[in-house]
Amino acid sequence: MPRRPRKDNKLERMIVRHEGEELMPYTDTVGKLTIGVGRNLTDRGISREESRYLFGRDVRIVQRELKTRLPLYTGLDEVRQAALVDLGFNMGLPTLMTFKKTLGFLGRGNYDAAADELLSGTGPNGESQYYLQVGARAEEISEMLRTGEWQQ
C-alpha cells in the first residue's frame, strides 16, 4: 500500500504545501499530465505495485456498489458475480444499470436470455454497442453469464 506522508516529516509537508494535492489528473504548467502531489504521469507513470493497489481498490468499489445497488448480485454464483463486476468495472455502474433487459433476465435466472441480450443491439449485424466496443471480452462475459463457468 502506498505510504502517506508522515506528520513529522517536514520535507514531505513542505513539498505538499508547494505542489498542492490534486486527486484528479490535470495538466501542469509545462504540459505534463499530473496527479496527486506532483506525480508526473507523462514521464514517470506509476509502478506495477501502485497500479495493482489502485486496481484492487477499484474492484472492491464495484463489488460494494453492486451489493448496494443491484440486489440480484448477491444471489448469483461466483462466476456470474464476477461477470457483473467485470461489466461494472469496464463501463461503470451507471451504464451497467441501463442494461435493464439483461439484468432482468439475470434476476429471473434466465441465463441464456441474459447472455444473448448482452450481445444484441442495434449494430450493423444486430450487435450491442458493448460488443462492438470490446469484442472478445463481451463474448467471454456473455458465456460466463450463460454457463456460470469461468472462461479461458
Side-chain angles (χ1 to χ4, degrees):
M1 181 163 82
R3 188 175 63 82
R4 304 183 95 199
R6 294 181 308 276
K7 291 183 179 181
D8 63 343
N9 189 316
K10 291 179 182 179
L11 170 63
E12 289 180 9
R13 283 198 330 259
M14 177 187 70
I15 293 172
V16 169
R17 190 177 71 246
H18 290 161
E19 290 282 336
E21 185 172 22
E22 294 293 331
L23 303 181
M24 297 296 289
Y26 66 96
T27 303
D28 73 6
T29 58
V30 295
K32 305 289 184 173
L33 184 61
T34 306
I35 196 167
V37 181
R39 171 57 71 94
N40 177 338
L41 294 173
T42 301
D43 296 333
R44 178 174 285 175
I46 60 174
S47 68
R48 180 165 308 280
E49 178 184 345
E50 290 164 327
S51 172
R52 293 303 171 104
Y53 171 78
L54 293 171
F55 169 66
R57 289 202 62 206
D58 289 345
V59 167
R60 288 188 296 279
I61 288 168
V62 172
Q63 289 170 320
R64 202 168 38 247
E65 288 176 338
L66 284 166
K67 286 176 186 173
T68 301
R69 295 187 53 201
L70 192 62
L72 69 90
Y73 172 80
T74 56
L76 296 172
D77 59 79
E78 174 190 27
V79 173
R80 291 183 175 102
Q81 284 182 349
L84 287 177
V85 171
D86 188 276
L87 286 164
F89 187 89
N90 177 243
M91 65 180 66
L93 206 59
T95 300
L96 174 57
M97 297 301 284
T98 68
F99 285 59
K100 296 191 184 304
K101 289 181 183 177
T102 299
L103 296 174
F105 287 131
L106 271 178
R108 293 189 295 281
N110 190 342
Y111 302 128
D112 286 333
D116 292 342
E117 184 62 32
L118 184 66
L119 300 179
S120 68
T122 59
N125 297 309
E127 314 93 335
S128 67
Q129 188 65 34
Y130 168 66
Y131 175 80
L132 292 172
Q133 291 174 347
V134 300
R137 182 180 191 170
E139 292 172 358
E140 182 176 339
I141 298 304
S142 174
E143 200 59 22
M144 289 171 70
L145 292 177
R146 183 181 314 285
T147 65
E149 296 176 3
W150 292 101
Q151 302 298 299
Q152 296 184 352

